[in-house]
Amino acid sequence: MQHEEFSEESALEIIDLIQTALYFAGVHKQALEEATEAYLKALESQDEDLEYDRDAMIALIQGLRKSHKHFFGER
């Protein structure tokens, strides 16, 4: 049980980090939930053999800028 709680807590912390990165990349605060879903969907569609690191995160966010322009803009 303790392991499951840790995993859920860790997942929530990772989501918070992704949303923070998206916010500082220019995603509107009110679009963070939807942008996070799009980010995770893009992540799931990546080749499993690719390493998930800082460069992969940057590439995913850059991809969102092109495919979901409505998430980004002036604040």
Side-chain angles (χ1 to χ4, degrees):
M1 183 75 173
Q2 186 177 7
H3 179 68
E4 288 176 16
E5 290 176 23
F6 176 77
S7 295
E8 184 177 336
E9 183 178 325
S10 294
L12 292 173
E13 289 174 356
I14 291 169
I15 295 296
D16 285 343
L17 291 172
I18 291 169
Q19 288 183 344
T20 301
L22 289 169
Y23 177 79
F24 282 107
V27 171
H28 298 287
K29 198 169 190 175
Q30 64 272 18
L32 282 174
E33 295 292 327
E34 191 177 352
T36 302
E37 289 176 26
Y39 178 94
L40 293 173
K41 187 175 182 178
L43 178 61
E44 288 174 1
S45 69
Q46 273 195 320
D47 183 353
E48 291 182 17
D49 293 333
L50 293 177
E51 187 173 342
Y52 182 69
D53 58 8
R54 173 187 62 225
D55 292 334
M57 289 183 76
I58 291 169
L60 286 169
I61 292 171
Q62 288 174 331
L64 287 180
R65 281 186 172 279
K66 294 176 184 172
S67 63
H68 294 81
K69 293 178 183 181
H70 60 284
F71 293 150
F72 297 86
E74 298 290 322
R75 283 192 271 254

Coordinates of all heavy atoms in Angstrom, one line a residue:
M1 N 0.8 -1.2 0.0 CA 0.0 0.0 0.0 C 0.9 1.3 0.0 O 0.6 2.2 -0.7 CB -0.9 0.0 1.2 CG -1.9 1.1 1.3 SD -3.2 0.9 0.1 CE -4.2 2.2 0.5
Q2 N 1.9 1.3 0.8 CA 2.8 2.4 0.9 C 3.4 2.7 -0.5 O 3.6 3.8 -0.9 CB 3.8 2.3 2.0 CG 4.7 3.5 2.2 CD 5.6 3.3 3.3 OE1 5.8 2.2 3.8 NE2 6.3 4.4 3.7
H3 N 3.8 1.6 -1.2 CA 4.4 1.8 -2.5 C 3.5 2.4 -3.5 O 3.9 3.2 -4.3 CB 4.9 0.4 -3.0 CG 5.6 0.4 -4.3 ND1 6.8 1.1 -4.6 CD2 5.1 0.0 -5.5 CE1 7.1 1.0 -5.8 NE2 6.1 0.3 -6.5
E4 N 2.2 2.0 -3.5 CA 1.2 2.6 -4.4 C 1.0 4.1 -4.1 O 0.9 4.8 -5.0 CB -0.1 1.8 -4.2 CG -0.1 0.4 -4.8 CD -1.4 -0.3 -4.6 OE1 -2.4 0.3 -4.2 OE2 -1.4 -1.5 -4.7
E5 N 1.0 4.4 -2.8 CA 0.8 5.9 -2.5 C 2.0 6.7 -3.0 O 1.9 7.7 -3.5 CB 0.7 6.0 -1.0 CG -0.7 5.5 -0.4 CD -0.8 5.5 1.1 OE1 0.0 6.4 1.7 OE2 -1.6 4.8 1.6
F6 N 3.2 6.1 -2.8 CA 4.4 6.8 -3.3 C 4.3 7.0 -4.8 O 4.6 8.0 -5.3 CB 5.7 6.0 -2.9 CG 6.9 6.6 -3.5 CD1 7.5 7.7 -2.9 CD2 7.5 6.1 -4.6 CE1 8.6 8.3 -3.4 CE2 8.7 6.6 -5.1 CZ 9.2 7.7 -4.5
S7 N 3.9 6.0 -5.5 CA 3.8 6.0 -7.0 C 2.8 7.1 -7.4 O 3.1 7.9 -8.3 CB 3.4 4.7 -7.5 OG 4.4 3.8 -7.3
E8 N 1.7 7.1 -6.7 CA 0.7 8.1 -7.1 C 1.2 9.5 -6.8 O 1.0 10.5 -7.5 CB -0.6 7.9 -6.3 CG -1.8 8.8 -6.7 CD -3.1 8.5 -6.0 OE1 -3.3 7.3 -5.6 OE2 -3.9 9.4 -5.9
E9 N 1.8 9.7 -5.6 CA 2.4 11.0 -5.2 C 3.4 11.4 -6.2 O 3.5 12.6 -6.6 CB 3.0 10.9 -3.8 CG 3.5 12.2 -3.3 CD 4.0 12.1 -1.9 OE1 3.4 11.3 -1.1 OE2 5.0 12.8 -1.6
S10 N 4.3 10.5 -6.6 CA 5.3 10.8 -7.6 C 4.7 11.2 -8.9 O 5.2 12.2 -9.6 CB 6.3 9.6 -7.8 OG 7.0 9.3 -6.6
A11 N 3.7 10.5 -9.4 CA 3.0 10.9 -10.6 C 2.4 12.3 -10.6 O 2.6 13.0 -11.5 CB 1.9 9.8 -10.9
L12 N 1.9 12.6 -9.4 CA 1.3 14.0 -9.3 C 2.4 15.0 -9.3 O 2.2 16.1 -9.9 CB 0.5 14.1 -8.0 CG -0.8 13.2 -8.0 CD1 -1.5 13.3 -6.6 CD2 -1.8 13.7 -9.1
E13 N 3.5 14.7 -8.7 CA 4.6 15.7 -8.7 C 5.2 15.8 -10.1 O 5.5 16.9 -10.5 CB 5.7 15.2 -7.8 CG 5.4 15.3 -6.3 CD 6.4 14.7 -5.3 OE1 7.4 14.1 -5.8 OE2 6.2 14.8 -4.1
I14 N 5.2 14.8 -10.9 CA 5.7 14.8 -12.3 C 4.8 15.7 -13.1 O 5.2 16.5 -13.9 CB 5.9 13.4 -12.9 CG1 7.1 12.8 -12.2 CG2 6.1 13.5 -14.4 CD1 7.3 11.3 -12.4
I15 N 3.4 15.5 -12.9 CA 2.5 16.3 -13.6 C 2.6 17.8 -13.3 O 2.6 18.6 -14.2 CB 1.0 15.8 -13.3 CG1 0.8 14.4 -13.8 CG2 0.0 16.8 -13.8 CD1 0.8 14.3 -15.3
D16 N 2.9 18.1 -12.0 CA 3.1 19.5 -11.6 C 4.4 20.0 -12.3 O 4.4 21.2 -12.8 CB 3.4 19.6 -10.1 CG 2.1 19.4 -9.3 OD1 1.0 19.6 -9.9 OD2 2.2 19.2 -8.1
L17 N 5.4 19.2 -12.4 CA 6.6 19.7 -13.1 C 6.4 19.9 -14.6 O 6.9 20.9 -15.2 CB 7.8 18.7 -12.9 CG 8.3 18.6 -11.5 CD1 9.3 17.4 -11.4 CD2 9.0 19.9 -11.1
I18 N 5.6 19.0 -15.2 CA 5.3 19.2 -16.6 C 4.5 20.5 -16.8 O 4.7 21.3 -17.7 CB 4.5 18.0 -17.2 CG1 5.5 16.8 -17.3 CG2 3.9 18.3 -18.6 CD1 4.8 15.5 -17.5
Q19 N 3.5 20.7 -15.9 CA 2.6 21.9 -16.1 C 3.5 23.2 -15.8 O 3.2 24.2 -16.5 CB 1.5 21.8 -15.1 CG 0.4 20.8 -15.6 CD -0.8 20.7 -14.7 OE1 -0.8 21.2 -13.6 NE2 -1.8 20.1 -15.2
T20 N 4.4 23.1 -14.9 CA 5.3 24.3 -14.7 C 6.1 24.5 -15.9 O 6.2 25.7 -16.4 CB 6.2 24.0 -13.5 OG1 5.4 23.8 -12.3 CG2 7.1 25.2 -13.2
A21 N 6.7 23.5 -16.5 CA 7.5 23.7 -17.8 C 6.6 24.2 -18.9 O 7.0 25.2 -19.6 CB 8.1 22.3 -18.2
L22 N 5.4 23.7 -19.0 CA 4.4 24.2 -20.0 C 4.1 25.7 -19.8 O 4.1 26.5 -20.7 CB 3.2 23.4 -20.1 CG 3.4 22.0 -20.7 CD1 2.1 21.1 -20.4 CD2 3.7 22.0 -22.1
Y23 N 3.9 26.1 -18.6 CA 3.5 27.4 -18.2 C 4.7 28.4 -18.6 O 4.5 29.4 -19.3 CB 3.2 27.6 -16.7 CG 2.9 29.0 -16.3 CD1 1.7 29.6 -16.6 CD2 3.9 29.8 -15.7 CE1 1.5 30.9 -16.2 CE2 3.7 31.1 -15.3 CZ 2.5 31.6 -15.6 OH 2.2 32.9 -15.2
F24 N 5.9 28.0 -18.2 CA 7.0 28.9 -18.6 C 7.4 28.8 -20.1 O 8.1 29.7 -20.6 CB 8.2 28.5 -17.7 CG 8.1 29.1 -16.3 CD1 7.8 28.4 -15.2 CD2 8.2 30.5 -16.1 CE1 7.6 28.9 -14.0 CE2 8.0 31.1 -14.9 CZ 7.7 30.3 -13.8
A25 N 6.9 27.8 -20.8 CA 7.0 27.8 -22.2 C 6.0 28.7 -22.9 O 6.1 28.9 -24.1 CB 6.9 26.4 -22.7
G26 N 5.0 29.2 -22.1 CA 4.1 30.1 -22.7 C 2.6 29.6 -22.7 O 1.8 30.3 -23.3
V27 N 2.3 28.5 -22.2 CA 1.0 28.0 -22.2 C 0.1 28.8 -21.2 O 0.6 29.2 -20.1 CB 0.9 26.5 -21.7 CG1 -0.5 26.0 -21.5 CG2 1.6 25.6 -22.8
H28 N -1.1 29.2 -21.7 CA -2.0 30.0 -20.8 C -2.3 29.2 -19.6 O -2.6 27.9 -19.7 CB -3.3 30.3 -21.6 CG -3.1 31.2 -22.8 ND1 -2.8 32.5 -22.7 CD2 -3.1 30.9 -24.1 CE1 -2.6 33.0 -23.9 NE2 -2.8 32.1 -24.8
K29 N -2.4 29.8 -18.4 CA -2.7 29.1 -17.2 C -4.0 28.3 -17.3 O -4.1 27.1 -16.8 CB -2.7 30.0 -16.0 CG -2.6 29.4 -14.7 CD -2.3 30.4 -13.6 CE -1.9 29.7 -12.3 NZ -1.6 30.7 -11.3
Q30 N -5.0 28.9 -17.9 CA -6.3 28.2 -18.0 C -6.3 27.0 -19.0 O -7.2 26.2 -19.0 CB -7.4 29.2 -18.4 CG -7.3 29.8 -19.7 CD -6.5 31.1 -19.7 OE1 -5.7 31.4 -18.8 NE2 -6.7 31.9 -20.8
A31 N -5.2 26.9 -19.8 CA -5.1 25.8 -20.7 C -4.1 24.7 -20.2 O -3.9 23.7 -21.0 CB -4.6 26.3 -22.1
L32 N -3.6 24.8 -19.0 CA -2.6 23.9 -18.6 C -3.1 22.4 -18.5 O -2.4 21.5 -18.9 CB -2.1 24.3 -17.2 CG -1.0 25.4 -17.2 CD1 -0.7 25.8 -15.8 CD2 0.2 25.0 -18.0
E33 N -4.3 22.2 -18.1 CA -4.8 20.8 -18.0 C -4.9 20.2 -19.4 O -4.4 19.1 -19.6 CB -6.2 20.8 -17.3 CG -6.2 21.2 -15.9 CD -5.5 20.2 -15.0 OE1 -5.5 19.0 -15.2 OE2 -4.9 20.7 -14.0
E34 N -5.5 20.9 -20.3 CA -5.6 20.4 -21.7 C -4.3 20.3 -22.4 O -4.0 19.3 -23.1 CB -6.5 21.3 -22.5 CG -6.9 20.8 -23.8 CD -7.9 21.7 -24.6 OE1 -8.3 22.7 -24.0 OE2 -8.2 21.4 -25.7
A35 N -3.4 21.2 -22.1 CA -2.0 21.1 -22.7 C -1.2 19.9 -22.1 O -0.5 19.3 -22.8 CB -1.3 22.4 -22.4
T36 N -1.5 19.7 -20.8 CA -0.8 18.5 -20.2 C -1.3 17.2 -20.8 O -0.5 16.3 -21.1 CB -1.1 18.5 -18.7 OG1 -0.6 19.7 -18.1 CG2 -0.4 17.3 -18.0
E37 N -2.6 17.1 -21.1 CA -3.1 15.9 -21.8 C -2.5 15.8 -23.2 O -2.2 14.7 -23.6 CB -4.7 16.0 -21.9 CG -5.4 15.9 -20.5 CD -6.9 16.1 -20.6 OE1 -7.4 15.8 -21.7 OE2 -7.5 16.5 -19.6
A38 N -2.4 16.9 -23.9 CA -1.8 16.8 -25.2 C -0.3 16.4 -25.1 O 0.2 15.6 -26.0 CB -1.9 18.2 -25.9
Y39 N 0.4 16.9 -24.1 CA 1.8 16.6 -23.9 C 1.9 15.1 -23.7 O 2.8 14.4 -24.3 CB 2.4 17.4 -22.7 CG 3.8 17.1 -22.4 CD1 4.8 17.8 -23.0 CD2 4.1 16.0 -21.5 CE1 6.2 17.5 -22.7 CE2 5.4 15.7 -21.2 CZ 6.4 16.5 -21.8 OH 7.7 16.2 -21.5
L40 N 1.1 14.6 -22.7 CA 1.2 13.1 -22.4 C 0.8 12.2 -23.6 O 1.4 11.2 -23.8 CB 0.3 12.8 -21.2 CG 0.8 13.5 -19.9 CD1 -0.2 13.3 -18.8 CD2 2.1 13.0 -19.5
K41 N -0.2 12.7 -24.4 CA -0.6 11.9 -25.6 C 0.6 11.9 -26.6 O 0.9 10.9 -27.1 CB -1.8 12.5 -26.2 CG -2.4 11.8 -27.3 CD -3.6 12.3 -27.8 CE -4.2 11.5 -29.0 NZ -5.5 12.0 -29.4
A42 N 1.3 13.0 -26.7 CA 2.5 13.1 -27.6 C 3.6 12.2 -27.1 O 4.3 11.5 -27.8 CB 2.9 14.5 -27.8
L43 N 3.7 12.2 -25.8 CA 4.8 11.4 -25.2 C 4.5 9.9 -25.4 O 5.4 9.1 -25.7 CB 4.8 11.7 -23.7 CG 5.8 10.8 -22.8 CD1 7.2 11.0 -23.3 CD2 5.7 11.2 -21.4
E44 N 3.2 9.5 -25.3 CA 2.8 8.1 -25.5 C 3.0 7.7 -26.9 O 3.3 6.5 -27.2 CB 1.4 7.9 -25.1 CG 1.1 7.9 -23.6 CD -0.3 7.9 -23.2 OE1 -1.2 7.8 -24.1 OE2 -0.6 7.9 -22.0
S45 N 2.9 8.6 -27.8 CA 3.1 8.2 -29.2 C 4.5 8.2 -29.7 O 4.8 7.8 -30.8 CB 2.3 9.2 -30.1 OG 2.9 10.5 -30.1
Q46 N 5.5 8.6 -28.8 CA 6.9 8.5 -29.2 C 7.4 7.1 -29.2 O 6.8 6.2 -28.5 CB 7.7 9.3 -28.1 CG 7.8 10.7 -28.4 CD 9.0 11.3 -27.6 OE1 9.1 11.0 -26.4 NE2 9.7 12.2 -28.2
D47 N 8.4 6.8 -29.9 CA 9.1 5.5 -30.0 C 9.6 5.2 -28.6 O 10.3 6.0 -27.9 CB 10.2 5.6 -31.0 CG 11.0 4.3 -31.2 OD1 10.7 3.3 -30.4 OD2 11.8 4.2 -32.0
E48 N 9.2 4.0 -28.1 CA 9.6 3.6 -26.7 C 11.1 3.5 -26.6 O 11.6 3.5 -25.4 CB 9.0 2.3 -26.4 CG 7.5 2.4 -26.2 CD 6.8 1.1 -25.8 OE1 7.6 0.2 -25.3 OE2 5.6 1.0 -25.9
D49 N 11.9 3.3 -27.7 CA 13.3 3.2 -27.6 C 14.0 4.5 -27.4 O 15.2 4.5 -27.1 CB 13.8 2.5 -28.8 CG 13.4 1.1 -28.9 OD1 13.1 0.4 -27.9 OD2 13.3 0.5 -30.1
L50 N 13.3 5.6 -27.7 CA 13.9 7.0 -27.5 C 14.1 7.3 -26.0 O 13.2 7.0 -25.2 CB 13.1 8.0 -28.1 CG 13.0 8.0 -29.7 CD1 12.0 9.1 -30.2 CD2 14.4 8.2 -30.3
E51 N 15.2 7.9 -25.7 CA 15.4 8.3 -24.3 C 14.5 9.5 -23.9 O 14.3 10.4 -24.7 CB 16.9 8.7 -24.1 CG 17.2 8.9 -22.7 CD 18.7 9.1 -22.5 OE1 19.5 8.7 -23.4 OE2 19.1 9.7 -21.4
Y52 N 13.9 9.4 -22.7 CA 13.1 10.6 -22.2 C 14.0 11.4 -21.3 O 14.3 11.0 -20.2 CB 11.8 10.1 -21.5 CG 11.0 11.2 -21.1 CD1 10.3 12.0 -22.0 CD2 10.8 11.5 -19.7 CE1 9.5 13.0 -21.6 CE2 10.0 12.5 -19.3 CZ 9.3 13.3 -20.2 OH 8.5 14.3 -19.8
D53 N 14.4 12.5 -21.8 CA 15.3 13.4 -21.1 C 14.9 14.8 -21.3 O 13.9 15.1 -21.9 CB 16.8 13.1 -21.4 CG 17.1 13.3 -22.9 OD1 16.2 13.8 -23.7 OD2 18.2 12.9 -23.3
R54 N 15.8 15.8 -20.9 CA 15.5 17.2 -21.1 C 15.2 17.5 -22.6 O 14.3 18.2 -22.9 CB 16.7 18.0 -20.5 CG 16.6 19.5 -20.8 CD 17.9 20.2 -20.4 NE 19.0 19.7 -21.1 CZ 20.2 19.4 -20.6 NH1 20.4 19.5 -19.3 NH2 21.1 18.9 -21.4
D55 N 16.1 17.0 -23.5 CA 15.9 17.3 -24.9 C 14.6 16.8 -25.4 O 14.0 17.4 -26.3 CB 17.1 16.7 -25.7 CG 18.4 17.5 -25.4 OD1 18.4 18.6 -25.0 OD2 19.5 16.8 -25.5
A56 N 14.2 15.6 -24.9 CA 12.9 15.0 -25.4 C 11.7 15.9 -24.9 O 10.8 16.1 -25.7 CB 12.7 13.6 -24.9
M57 N 11.8 16.4 -23.7 CA 10.8 17.3 -23.2 C 10.7 18.6 -24.0 O 9.6 19.0 -24.3 CB 11.1 17.7 -21.7 CG 10.9 16.5 -20.7 SD 11.1 17.0 -19.0 CE 9.6 17.9 -18.7
I58 N 11.9 19.1 -24.3 CA 11.9 20.4 -25.1 C 11.3 20.1 -26.5 O 10.5 20.9 -27.0 CB 13.3 20.9 -25.2 CG1 13.8 21.4 -23.9 CG2 13.4 22.0 -26.3 CD1 15.3 21.7 -23.8
A59 N 11.6 19.0 -27.1 CA 11.1 18.6 -28.4 C 9.6 18.5 -28.3 O 8.8 18.9 -29.2 CB 11.7 17.4 -28.9
L60 N 9.1 17.8 -27.3 CA 7.6 17.6 -27.1 C 6.9 19.0 -27.0 O 5.9 19.2 -27.6 CB 7.3 16.8 -25.9 CG 7.6 15.3 -26.1 CD1 7.5 14.6 -24.8 CD2 6.6 14.7 -27.1
I61 N 7.5 19.9 -26.2 CA 6.9 21.2 -26.0 C 6.9 22.0 -27.3 O 5.9 22.7 -27.7 CB 7.5 22.0 -24.9 CG1 7.2 21.3 -23.6 CG2 7.1 23.4 -24.8 CD1 8.0 21.8 -22.4
Q62 N 8.0 21.9 -28.1 CA 8.1 22.6 -29.4 C 7.1 22.0 -30.3 O 6.5 22.8 -31.1 CB 9.5 22.4 -29.9 CG 10.5 23.3 -29.2 CD 11.9 23.1 -29.7 OE1 12.3 22.0 -30.2 NE2 12.8 24.1 -29.5
G63 N 6.9 20.7 -30.3 CA 5.8 20.1 -31.1 C 4.4 20.6 -30.8 O 3.6 20.9 -31.6
L64 N 4.2 20.8 -29.5 CA 2.9 21.4 -29.0 C 2.7 22.8 -29.5 O 1.6 23.2 -29.9 CB 2.8 21.3 -27.5 CG 2.5 20.0 -26.9 CD1 2.4 20.2 -25.3 CD2 1.3 19.3 -27.4
R65 N 3.8 23.6 -29.6 CA 3.7 24.9 -30.1 C 3.2 25.0 -31.5 O 2.5 25.9 -31.9 CB 5.1 25.6 -30.0 CG 5.5 26.1 -28.7 CD 6.8 26.9 -28.8 NE 7.1 27.5 -27.6 CZ 6.6 28.7 -27.1 NH1 5.7 29.3 -27.9 NH2 7.0 29.2 -26.0
K66 N 3.6 23.9 -32.3 CA 3.2 23.9 -33.7 C 1.8 23.3 -33.8 O 1.0 23.8 -34.6 CB 4.2 23.0 -34.5 CG 5.6 23.7 -34.6 CD 6.5 22.8 -35.3 CE 7.9 23.4 -35.3 NZ 8.9 22.5 -35.8
S67 N 1.5 22.2 -33.1 CA 0.2 21.5 -33.3 C -0.9 22.1 -32.4 O -2.1 21.8 -32.8 CB 0.4 20.0 -33.0 OG 0.8 19.8 -31.6
H68 N -0.6 22.8 -31.4 CA -1.7 23.3 -30.5 C -1.4 24.8 -30.2 O -1.2 25.2 -29.0 CB -1.7 22.5 -29.2 CG -2.2 21.1 -29.4 ND1 -1.3 20.1 -29.8 CD2 -3.4 20.6 -29.2 CE1 -2.0 19.0 -29.9 NE2 -3.3 19.2 -29.5
K69 N -1.3 25.6 -31.2 CA -0.9 27.0 -31.0 C -1.8 27.8 -30.1 O -1.4 28.7 -29.4 CB -0.9 27.7 -32.4 CG 0.2 27.2 -33.3 CD 0.1 28.0 -34.7 CE 1.2 27.4 -35.6 NZ 1.2 28.0 -36.9
H70 N -3.1 27.3 -30.0 CA -4.1 28.0 -29.1 C -3.7 27.9 -27.7 O -4.2 28.7 -26.9 CB -5.5 27.5 -29.4 CG -5.6 26.0 -29.1 ND1 -5.1 25.0 -30.0 CD2 -6.2 25.4 -28.1 CE1 -5.4 23.8 -29.5 NE2 -6.0 24.0 -28.3
F71 N -2.9 27.0 -27.3 CA -2.4 26.9 -25.8 C -1.5 28.0 -25.5 O -1.3 28.4 -24.3 CB -1.7 25.6 -25.5 CG -2.6 24.4 -25.6 CD1 -2.0 23.1 -26.0 CD2 -3.9 24.4 -25.4 CE1 -2.8 22.0 -26.1 CE2 -4.7 23.2 -25.4 CZ -4.1 22.0 -25.8
F72 N -0.8 28.6 -26.5 CA 0.3 29.5 -26.2 C -0.1 30.9 -26.6 O -0.9 31.1 -27.4 CB 1.5 29.1 -27.1 CG 2.1 27.7 -26.7 CD1 1.5 26.6 -27.3 CD2 3.1 27.6 -25.8 CE1 2.0 25.3 -27.0 CE2 3.6 26.3 -25.5 CZ 3.1 25.2 -26.1
G73 N 0.6 31.9 -26.0 CA 0.4 33.2 -26.4 C 0.8 34.2 -25.3 O 1.4 33.8 -24.3
E74 N 0.5 35.4 -25.5 CA 0.8 36.5 -24.5 C 0.0 36.3 -23.2 O -1.2 35.9 -23.3 CB 0.4 37.9 -25.1 CG 1.2 38.2 -26.3 CD 2.7 38.5 -26.0 OE1 3.0 39.1 -25.0 OE2 3.5 38.1 -26.8
R75 N 0.6 36.6 -22.1 CA -0.1 36.5 -20.8 C -0.4 37.9 -20.3 O 0.3 38.8 -20.5 CB 0.7 35.7 -19.8 CG 0.6 34.3 -20.0 CD 1.2 33.6 -18.8 NE 2.5 33.4 -18.9 CZ 3.3 32.3 -19.2 NH1 3.0 31.4 -19.3 NH2 4.5 32.2 -19.4

